[in-house]
Amino acid sequence: MRYENLELMQKKYCNYLMILMAFFLIGCAKRGSISGGKKDTIAPVMTSSLPKNFSTSFNGKEIKLTFDEYVKLKDVSKQLIISPPMKSQPEILPATASKTITIKIKDTLQPNTTYSFNFGKSIQDNNEGNPYQQFKYVFSTGSYIDSLTLGVKTKDAIGKKVDNFVSILLYEVNEKYTDSAIYKQSPRYVTNTLDSLKLGKFENLKKGKYRLVALKDANGNNKFDPKTDKIAFQKDFIKIPNDTIYELELFKEEMPFKSVNFTQASAAKYTLGYEGKAKDVKISVKRGTESIPYIVSKFPKKDSLQVWFKAIKGDSISVAVSQNKFKKTYLLKVKDQKKDSINFSAEPVGTLNFRETFAINSNTPINQWDVAKMKLINKDSAEVKFTTEYDEFHQKLKFLFQKEPLEKYNLKLLPGALVNYYDKKNDTLSYNFTTNNLSDYGNLKVTLENVKRFPVIVQLLDEKGDVAASEYSDKNKEIIFDLLEPNKYTLRVIYDDDKDKSWTPGNFLELRQSEEVIYFPKELDVRANWDVEQPFDLSTR
């Protein structure tokens, strides 16, 4: 009996124990699936460094930074700013996660100089990627740490969007300084706006006189390359200490004109590649001493000109190209090549807005056009009077007429209405296009206040940043933009100081800033069948 009771008690105990274990396991499973624990949002912390941060009389070649957890380096080549810059970049180790980062210095350090390593956001904890924001390691090869600071803002001189990763440079102005230093030498100090900073800040500067420059540095070499880089500069030298926050406006310099090649593309078409702007370029074409007539047009969407002239196979041709100080002569033998086919296209296609002009584009120059072989009719088959205007540089024949709302048009060109450079004639061409109602458009009147000087260019930009409408004024403060397509527009005014009717960028060697651009602070919502009046105070930026 005792054994039976004992056996029964053991069974009950085992069952009880199994039930407890089951509840325990279920509880553990539930706890794990519900939360998983709080997410780590704490950035790593440096616990020690060798040598210590802000050391003086530094003469070593290796620095070790130790952190309270495993860290990794992300985008260190873009984020790390070393000031003054080093000719040979240090080696940063390891490439994998570790609690210690080692900096191996490859360069010869300058005497009595404070160096700063700003890691930006490149040091992150290994698990969650929390960055150690703007961590700096500083040391001096002299007996003290330089401690002066300077703040610099950057913006674009013509565009509203502000570039990121802009390098801001300080060149020490001494007996060896020349303005050519920005092309050839590394600056004394450098900082960077990185990907999120609106303000570039120099720290650990020494007292002195400096040239202040900013670069959108495509090559990342802290040297100005006008072909690829944007530049901004303070016109006058600055002195440090200085509590001014400078604002620099970045622009792309206009390259001086330079032709880069001249090749035959077809029977009578030759292409001239160039750098800079081809405005007012002069060309002469000769066969021996005989001058050959030619036509110059723009190669669409390329920095090239098309030079058209007729010559026969085997002719030796000289083509002289000049603009201002640039002069170059090309010699070539004419080859026997196919003539260009004749092609035409309409612009625009479908709907003709009231601010647009209907045109026919040609892939070859148009030598002749006969309006007697052209007819423009409306939806009632009534003939519409028009005039034509030929843009030789763009190979575009424009049709000017009084547009009516809610109208349908057909433009028909009979064979031979157009004759191209090869004396080829068009076949029958027919183009259909329509207009909208006047109520489908909006009108905008801009009243300029506190204008400092004239002339000005007033522009509306669409949502892509392209110029949708532009007006030029040499005295009028009321600018009318009528029959605008409904859209949200950005409004800006350019002070056209050189009176060339376009925005002119600056030039560093001339210490000339770009023409001033002022943006209206808000978007303008132009709606269909609305009249908008908008004052624009140019004294506020």
Side-chain angles (χ1 to χ4, degrees), residues 400-538:
L400 310 175
F401 61 95
Q402 181 66 43
K403 294 185 279 290
E404 298 295 336
L406 292 175
E407 190 59 89
K408 295 180 179 179
Y409 294 97
N410 173 258
L411 175 65
K412 190 171 186 178
L413 284 72
L414 297 176
L418 304 174
V419 182
N420 81 345
Y421 193 71
Y422 296 104
D423 296 323
K424 290 183 178 181
K425 300 178 181 179
N426 67 290
D427 295 326
T428 299
L429 299 172
S430 182
Y431 301 104
N432 296 308
F433 49 93
T434 62
T435 57
N436 292 323
N437 202 347
L438 293 177
S439 61
D440 293 328
Y441 299 91
N443 302 311
L444 171 65
K445 181 170 79 171
V446 177
T447 303
L448 303 178
E449 300 175 349
N450 296 308
V451 184
K452 290 188 288 188
R453 56 192 179 275
F454 284 98
V456 293
I457 306 168
V458 185
Q459 294 181 331
L460 293 177
L461 311 181
D462 62 21
E463 291 172 313
K464 295 180 181 179
D466 298 327
V467 177
S470 182
E471 296 292 339
Y472 193 80
S473 175
D474 53 12
K475 62 179 180 180
N476 191 9
K477 295 182 180 180
E478 287 191 353
I479 310 298
I480 305 296
F481 294 99
D482 58 0
L483 298 171
L484 292 169
E485 294 179 65
N487 206 340
K488 290 185 178 180
Y489 293 97
T490 299
L491 172 64
R492 72 182 178 195
V493 168
I494 300 169
Y495 283 106
D496 186 28
D497 295 325
D498 61 5
K499 301 180 181 179
D500 68 346
K501 297 188 177 182
S502 64
W503 177 76
T504 303
N507 183 279
F508 174 75
L509 289 180
E510 297 175 10
L511 292 180
R512 173 171 52 82
Q513 299 286 2
S514 305
E515 288 181 334
E516 186 178 2
V517 180
I518 301 175
Y519 279 86
F520 187 72
K522 299 178 181 178
E523 280 187 330
L524 299 180
D525 189 4
V526 176
R527 302 183 183 183
N529 206 28
W530 277 34
D531 292 325
V532 180
E533 295 188 11
Q534 180 62 62
F536 186 2
D537 185 356
L538 299 184

Side-chain angles (χ1 to χ4, degrees), residues 20-36:
L20 283 178
M21 289 179 66
F23 274 114
F24 176 76
L25 291 172
I26 291 169
C28 288
K30 286 183 177 179
R31 284 196 296 272
S33 62
I34 289 174
S35 68

